[in-house]
Amino acid sequence: MQKMVKEKVWHLKEGNPVLQHIISRELGISPLLARLLVNRGVLTAEDARFFLQGNINQMGNPYLLPDMHRAVELILTAIEKRKNILVYGDYDADGVTATALMVQVLRRLGARVDYYIPHRLVEGYGLHEEAVHWARQSGVDLLITVDCGISAKKEVEAALGAGGPEIIITDHHQVPEEIPPAAAVINPLRKESLYPFRDLAGVGVALKLAQALLEAAGEGENAWHDYLDLACVGTVADIVPLLGENRLLVKYGLPKLAATSNPGFQALMQASGVKAEKIGVREVGFALAPRLNAAGRMGNSRMAVELLLSRDPAEAEKLAAQLDRENRERQQVESRVLAEALGMLDALGRDRDPVVVLASSGWHPGVIGIVASRLVDMLYRPVLLVSLDEGLGKGSGRSIPGFHLYRALSHCREHLLSFGGHEGAAGFTLPADRVDGLRQALNDYAAVALSPDLLQPRLEIDALVSLEDMTCELVTELDGLGPHGHGNPEPLLACSGAAVINCREVGRDGRHLKLLLQEKGVVRDGIGFDLAGHLENLSPGEAVELAFVPSLDRWNGDVRVQLEIKDLRRNGRWEGVQKPGLALDKVENNSINQLTGSLQTIYKEPSFFWPEFIQRILAVSEQEGPACPGQIPGIPGFQQPFLQVACHAEEPARSLQLPLELPFQVKDLREQPSRPSRLARLADVRQRLLVVVSSAHRAVELAMFLRRACYRSGRRVAFCHPWLSSQQREKLCQLFAGGEINVLLTTPVLALDLAGSGAENLVIYNLPYHREEWEILLAVALVEKIRSLWLLFGKEDMREACFYLAALAPDRDPLARLYSILSQTSSGSNALARGRREVDSEDNFSRWLAGLLRRNGCPWAQDFTVALGLKVFFELGLVKWRSEKSGWPVIMCPAGGRKLSLSASPTYCRLHRLKKEALSWQEYVLKAPLRDIITGCQPQRVIARF
């Protein structure tokens, strides 16, 4: 059936050059991959590392979910006392897989367990009082919901009043203002939840309960991995974002599904024609999930649960065949409803209304949601379909981006008996005679809320690229973004100005388009599925714009790049093409943006990434005397903040005695995963939050992340770092003290400037490098009279610290390599010596040598590594400086047979002492009991300057 889709506007997603550069530099990935991560809402280097390198065991601790301890205790007690347990699920694929998972786990633990799935057409969604009454009459002692129950306050209260059964709720849907008074309510969306990931499907929440149960029962910490196949299918089927933990569940669940020992899944794959070795998100979403859903749409979902619980291959084969038949029946019914709906639209005029509302007494209520979705794809406008039966209408609607369907129905509630849903989809009931009234009311509302540009379909382009960018290495790197799905689509790129070399129809019925394209001498193959209609408008040599997904085509041992073309045109309409400049974030207050200033000139400087501790040591080193003019890379004009606190012995200070009883609570979250998400939860609390990080770039990165994360709550976030002027920093302190800034991110030394600003919570996000930094922050906490001190740092910080401390205090071997490089470049007779001609300044001198060091086995080498190494050589009499201000600054001084000791260099000794102190402190503060690291500082004072 021919689609009626309008020509699409190409929309280029807005990039964020600062975050892209930070992520690219921190992870060592291409700028394009960094941009694609930012486009998918991955806004910090920590989250990007988790996205690309995370493993299944990095998922959150299940006990961070509210009531998890209570639920585990209740279930294990019920198993021990041989009580009857009922798992109460839902009829869609998410609910079916969650039910099967929970039943399998409970049976593994020896429970007496059964399950209940409400009938979609008779009972409808959710926990029903009649079903709870039946459970009580049947002797059920404990009822566990999966994928439902969070809105069942009335039903739970009725169970309590009637004497049982006891109820545990596990759900992932939106939490109402009043939660049911169940024995335990496990939902990551609860306000008090500390769980770092909020978007789990129902089966994902059930899996977290299973993880806690199995570990508590002594089954091992990885026993829950046995159920990843069920979690994978339910997660894909529920169309939750394939980001964060959902992506991990699918990434690790797909191989588990391919090798599954579950007879039900084996039979389902055979019935649907899915090959285990080729199973992916598409096969799960379009082959397995529809068959599991078919039972609920056409009849009773118990059949799908029985399939997944079956241990008999013959029985599983019969059940899978029945589900396959029901799925085919569903497809036939769906086709009839679609044909009738299109006929109605032809009669009414397809462009008559911006919101389509159609009703018929012959429509099966189990398929109208799917048909509405297909009509949205064809018409690109909101569609609501109503199945009429005996004076009552059951409706299902789907919407387009920009038109919030739930709000629209709320505006028209006088025509409805009930409704529910969200922005993109909704269900409702109404009297049959109110359909026309609902249609009129929705279109009256749309006349105001639905602008004409929203009715124009858009193609979301991730980035503009050149065909020469599309190398096999880059496409392989982009493959790391998978598995793809909702919220994490395949990277859609665009190229403007590629020339068509030749084009032809391919495929059995000639529906597809095969292209050979050229740009800047680079030739690439392209294939456009269902795009053969473009052939008549294409001519060899013609320049076109392409929207494509890159892939690798492997044939006979040869690997080459192929473009899967999604759309092509000559010159069409664009939206969102980037303009010059670096807006920090559109959602942020303009006055704060003006204060924090442009990052245009600094965010690409290496020193922008150096931790403040390193910057301060460099500033002190330069004050003591540089190796030669300009050779210790400082921050001209910004050194004073780094000199504000130098060291205990050298600065006048007043001491603050730590009281026996701390005047604030300490929240110990050391070594917990998903720090950015935890920080976002804290930032969402309406109290002034001061967050201390290790470096300027981290303050900027996390501020941008929090601005997005806290957008809906209206929190205003700013950063304060040493590159800002003293006037800017002072103004930010005033705004924070006055409550105009809710969350402020800064570095340890600058936190002193904020002492007395009235911060209510202090977060130490990164591990302090040295005991001195720790004492600075304790001083801030005491002077601020904060309520809570949050410790979020972990071993990842120490790994970064080891990197920079190695650069600050290089050992004998790196110094020997640097000396060897200097000797070779000074000889004038080899490639290194010839390369020095490229050095035109002292800054480039250090940067060039640092690059050579990195290529010679010192990946941590920085500009300052070279500068400090030269200072050590100067102190040992191995180098001296030319008096001229231009040209090659180093003169080598032969050792003359002298045996030199590095300990003869004061700089070497001081830096290695600092490195030893720092590493020793970090190891201690990561492992020591909380009370010891707060009160056990020696000497017993906290140094601060105010």
Side-chain angles (χ1 to χ4, degrees):
M1 189 173 293
Q2 186 177 4
K3 288 191 174 184
M4 301 167 283
V5 176
K6 304 175 184 178
E7 181 182 351
K8 294 180 179 179
V9 172
W10 290 16
H11 177 258
L12 181 63
K13 295 178 182 177
E14 184 178 3
N16 188 313
V18 177
L19 291 183
Q20 290 161 205
H21 181 73
I22 289 173
I23 291 173
S24 175
R25 186 185 187 277
E26 292 279 278
L27 272 68
I29 60 177
S30 69
L32 178 59
L33 180 56
R35 179 184 176 116
L36 294 173
L37 288 166
V38 171
N39 286 352
R40 283 146 184 76
V42 182
L43 305 179
T44 69
E46 284 181 75
D47 284 343
R49 188 173 289 108
F50 179 77
F51 188 104
L52 296 174
Q53 303 169 13
N55 64 68
I56 195 69
N57 288 320
Q58 289 179 275
M59 289 183 63
N61 185 332
Y63 289 102
L64 294 174
L65 287 162
D67 293 348
M68 183 62 79
H69 281 283
R70 176 66 175 152
V72 170
E73 179 185 0
L74 284 171
I75 294 170
L76 293 181
T77 300
I79 294 173
E80 181 183 357
K81 294 184 176 181
R82 304 298 295 160
K83 291 186 176 182
N84 295 317
I85 302 175
L86 183 72
V87 177
Y88 189 107
D90 185 29
Y91 42 70
D92 67 1
D94 184 20
V96 163
T97 52
T99 301
L101 186 154
M102 189 54 58
V103 170
Q104 285 187 19
V105 169
L106 293 173
R107 286 179 177 173
R108 175 173 177 166
L109 298 179
R112 299 175 62 178
V113 60
D114 200 354
Y115 66 91
Y116 185 95
I117 303 289
H119 195 289
R120 181 182 194 130
L121 305 181
V122 177
E123 297 170 276
Y125 170 79
L127 183 64
H128 300 287
E129 192 170 338
E130 296 80 3
V132 177
H133 175 74
W134 169 85
R136 182 170 56 254
Q137 296 291 87
S138 301
V140 172
D141 301 295
L142 178 63
L143 185 150
I144 305 170
T145 75
V146 291
D147 194 30
C148 66
I150 194 64
S151 299
K153 179 174 180 291
K154 178 172 68 73
E155 290 77 6
V156 173
E157 288 174 341
L160 285 173
E166 204 161 20
I167 296 176
I168 294 173
I169 291 172
T170 75
D171 201 353
H172 71 122
H173 293 100
Q174 196 64 44
V175 179
E177 289 187 12
E178 292 186 59
I179 64 173
V185 179
I186 300 173
N187 188 320
L189 297 181
R190 285 183 62 179
K191 291 179 181 179
E192 56 270 52
S193 174
L194 293 176
Y195 197 76
F197 187 70
R198 298 171 62 86
D199 293 326
L200 291 169
V203 71
V205 179
L207 183 66
K208 299 311 293 183
L209 175 56
Q211 179 184 358
L213 278 172
L214 291 165
E215 191 167 345
E219 293 288 310
E221 62 181 14
N222 293 330
W224 62 283
H225 293 184
D226 295 343
Y227 308 94
L228 286 173
D229 49 0
L230 287 161
C232 169
V233 172
T235 298
V236 171
D238 210 47
I239 320 181
V240 289
L242 281 197
L243 297 167
E245 293 193 359
N246 287 336
R247 181 172 166 275
L248 282 182
L249 289 176
V250 175
K251 180 178 179 180
Y252 286 87
L254 285 171
K256 191 82 174 177
L257 185 61
T260 186
S261 59
N262 184 315
F265 274 138
Q266 290 173 345
L268 192 63
M269 284 190 280
Q270 184 177 359
S272 57
V274 172
K275 303 294 184 184
E277 62 273 15
K278 293 185 177 180
I279 195 164
V281 172
R282 182 175 181 83
E283 286 71 26
V284 172
F286 291 95
L288 304 186
R291 286 166 172 81
L292 292 176
N293 275 321
R297 292 189 182 280
M298 306 307 296
N300 193 329
S301 288
R302 282 190 66 93
M303 188 191 311
V305 181
E306 285 299 317
L307 171 71
L308 298 179
L309 293 176
S310 176
R311 297 182 179 180
D312 180 357
E315 179 193 30
E317 187 176 341
K318 291 179 182 178
L319 289 168
Q322 179 61 29
L323 286 177
D324 189 55
R325 286 192 294 271
E326 295 212 359
N327 188 56
R328 288 198 297 271
E329 181 186 349
R330 187 267 306 169
Q331 291 172 329
Q332 293 169 359
V333 172
E334 178 188 317
S335 296
R336 288 197 299 269
V337 173
L338 178 61
E340 288 181 26
L342 290 172
M344 291 180 182
L345 285 170
D346 286 336
L348 293 171
R350 288 179 175 170
D351 296 326
R352 191 187 76 165
D353 295 327
V355 179
V356 174
V357 180
L358 302 173
S360 173
S361 59
W363 289 347
H364 194 297
V367 303
I368 55 175
I370 302 176
V371 176
S373 182
R374 291 190 62 183
L375 287 171
V376 169
D377 289 341
M378 293 179 176
L379 303 170
Y380 204 76
R381 61 189 61 209
V383 176
L384 296 89
L385 301 183
V386 182
S387 172
L388 303 175
D389 184 26
E390 296 183 355
L392 186 68
K394 292 184 179 181
S396 186
R398 300 292 185 270
S399 193
I400 59 175
F403 187 76
H404 200 296
L405 191 53
Y406 181 82
R407 290 178 191 162
L409 289 175
S410 298
H411 186 79
C412 307
R413 64 174 67 243
E414 69 272 15
H415 299 283
L416 303 172
L417 297 174
S418 65
F419 67 97
H422 50 81
E423 182 175 359
F428 56 95
T429 60
L430 78 171
D433 59 4
R434 288 298 190 103
V435 171
D436 290 337
L438 176 65
R439 180 186 298 113
Q440 186 61 51
L442 281 172
N443 279 284
D444 289 343
Y445 175 80
V448 177
L450 189 57
S451 59
D453 62 301
L454 291 177
L455 293 171
Q456 184 72 37
R458 301 197 307 178
L459 199 63
E460 297 290 340
I461 306 293
D462 278 301
L464 277 171
V465 297
S466 172
L467 291 187
E468 64 181 339
D469 298 331
M470 294 297 102
T471 63
C472 289
E473 293 75 18
L474 179 63
V475 176
T476 299
E477 184 187 37
L478 298 187
D479 284 344
L481 291 169
H484 299 290
H486 177 64
N488 181 30
E490 292 180 303
L492 183 60
L493 309 175
C495 172
S496 181
V500 177
I501 298 177
N502 61 56
C503 52
R504 56 191 173 88
E505 294 177 347
V506 294
R508 183 176 301 175
D509 50 4
R511 293 170 53 193
H512 312 313
L513 181 65
K514 185 72 173 175
L515 290 168
L516 197 61
L517 302 149
Q518 182 178 21
E519 184 196 26
K520 298 178 183 178
V522 175
V523 177
R524 295 282 183 252
D525 281 326
I527 180 72
F529 297 107
D530 294 319
L531 294 183
H534 288 275
L535 187 61
E536 60 186 29
N537 299 318
L538 293 175
S539 302
E542 181 180 14
V544 294
E545 294 178 331
L546 305 169
F548 63 89
V549 173
S551 62
L552 293 178
D553 181 30
R554 294 177 171 86
W555 181 254
N556 285 340
D558 185 31
V559 181
R560 58 181 179 177
V561 174
Q562 179 174 264
L563 314 179
E564 184 182 337
I565 299 168
K566 300 296 184 179
D567 199 6
L568 74 161
R569 61 189 191 177
R570 289 188 180 90
N571 286 295
R573 180 182 165 196
W574 279 91
E575 285 183 354
V577 178
Q578 282 186 305
K579 306 295 190 298
L582 284 175
L584 296 183
D585 202 308
K586 288 183 177 180
V587 303
E588 185 53 77
N589 181 277
N590 286 334
S591 63
I592 295 176
N593 275 348
Q594 292 170 4
L595 271 177
T596 51
S598 172
L599 299 171
Q600 188 80 42
T601 58
I602 63 171
Y603 79 95
K604 289 189 177 181
E605 288 295 321
S607 55
F608 186 61
F609 291 80
W610 297 342
E612 186 187 76
F613 177 80
I614 301 295
Q615 300 271 20
R616 185 154 55 86
I617 300 304
L618 294 178
V620 172
S621 295
E622 190 164 355
Q623 189 182 47
E624 292 175 347
C628 68
Q631 282 306 306
I632 301 291
I635 315 168
F638 299 100
Q639 289 185 15
Q640 189 56 40
F642 296 125
L643 293 171
Q644 188 171 352
V645 175
C647 65
H648 294 169
E650 297 174 3
E651 291 200 352
R654 63 184 178 88
S655 63
L656 297 171
Q657 290 297 130
L658 285 167
L660 293 176
E661 293 296 328
L662 293 175
F664 48 81
Q665 290 184 320
V666 182
K667 309 289 187 179
D668 188 3
L669 292 177
R670 291 175 291 174
E671 285 305 314
Q672 295 292 329
S674 304
R675 279 192 297 182
S677 297
R678 293 179 186 282
L679 184 61
R681 293 286 187 95
L682 292 175
D684 233 3
V685 178
R686 294 190 175 276
Q687 297 173 350
R688 274 176 289 178
L689 191 70
L690 180 63
V691 183
V692 181
V693 296
S694 60
S695 60
H697 89 277
R698 192 71 70 214
V700 171
E701 173 196 43
L702 286 171
M704 290 183 174
F705 164 75
L706 291 176
R707 288 174 180 181
R708 301 279 184 91
C710 301
Y711 170 61
R712 293 189 182 278
S713 62
R715 306 281 282 163
R716 288 190 290 180
V717 183
F719 55 79
C720 182
H721 60 66
W723 276 264
L724 301 177
S725 69
S726 59
Q727 293 83 0
Q728 287 174 314
R729 297 197 300 268
E730 183 178 351
K731 182 62 177 176
L732 284 167
C733 291
Q734 293 172 0
L735 291 173
F736 185 59
E740 295 180 63
I741 293 174
N742 308 111
V743 182
L744 186 60
L745 294 103
T746 191
T747 52
V749 167
L750 292 187
L752 289 169
D753 292 339
L754 295 160
S757 62
E760 298 178 14
N761 292 277
L762 175 64
V763 176
I764 303 179
Y765 189 86
N766 292 124
L767 176 65
Y769 265 63
H770 195 277
R771 184 186 299 271
E772 176 187 286
E773 281 192 342
W774 178 252
E775 292 173 345
I776 290 170
L777 297 177
L778 284 182
V780 173
L782 290 170
V783 173
E784 282 289 301
K785 298 180 180 179
I786 62 170
R787 295 179 183 177
S788 299
L789 173 65
W790 299 79
L791 308 181
L792 263 64
F793 49 79
K795 289 180 181 176
E796 184 63 34
D797 295 321
M798 189 170 181
R799 283 189 283 272
E800 179 180 290
C802 289
F803 179 91
Y804 279 107
L805 288 169
L808 180 73
D811 294 325
R812 174 177 292 275
D813 182 63
L815 289 173
R817 295 186 190 197
L818 176 60
Y819 188 80
S820 174
I821 292 170
L822 285 170
S823 298
Q824 293 179 60
T825 54
S826 298
S827 69
S829 61
N830 58 24
L832 285 180
R834 291 191 293 273
R836 82 183 216 182
R837 298 169 189 165
E838 303 171 5
V839 178
D840 56 4
S841 69
E842 290 173 349
D843 285 343
N844 281 347
F845 170 69
S846 291
R847 192 158 298 177
W848 182 67
L849 288 175
L852 292 177
L853 266 180
R854 286 193 290 271
R855 291 193 291 273
N856 280 272
C858 304
W860 36 259
Q862 305 289 319
D863 300 12
F864 62 79
T865 308
V866 172
L868 292 169
L870 291 173
K871 190 172 184 180
V872 170
F873 296 158
F874 178 79
E875 292 170 351
L876 295 176
L878 296 174
V879 300
K880 62 181 181 179
W881 314 113
R882 293 185 187 277
S883 58
E884 299 89 349
K885 293 187 177 181
S886 61
W888 193 247
V890 177
I891 298 175
M892 303 301 295
C893 301
R898 292 175 296 153
K899 186 174 182 179
L900 301 174
S901 171
L902 289 171
S903 62
S905 163
T907 296
Y908 180 88
C909 293
R910 183 173 66 86
L911 294 178
H912 275 265
R913 175 180 56 80
L914 277 171
K915 179 168 77 170
K916 182 178 179 180
E917 291 174 355
L919 292 176
S920 176
W921 160 253
Q922 290 171 22
E923 289 178 358
Y924 169 75
V925 82
L926 283 173
K927 298 176 182 178
L930 184 62
R931 185 73 188 179
D932 290 354
I933 66 173
I934 296 292
T935 61
C937 294
Q938 296 293 333
Q940 285 290 326
R941 64 178 188 168
V942 177
I943 302 299
R945 290 194 60 179
F946 307 104

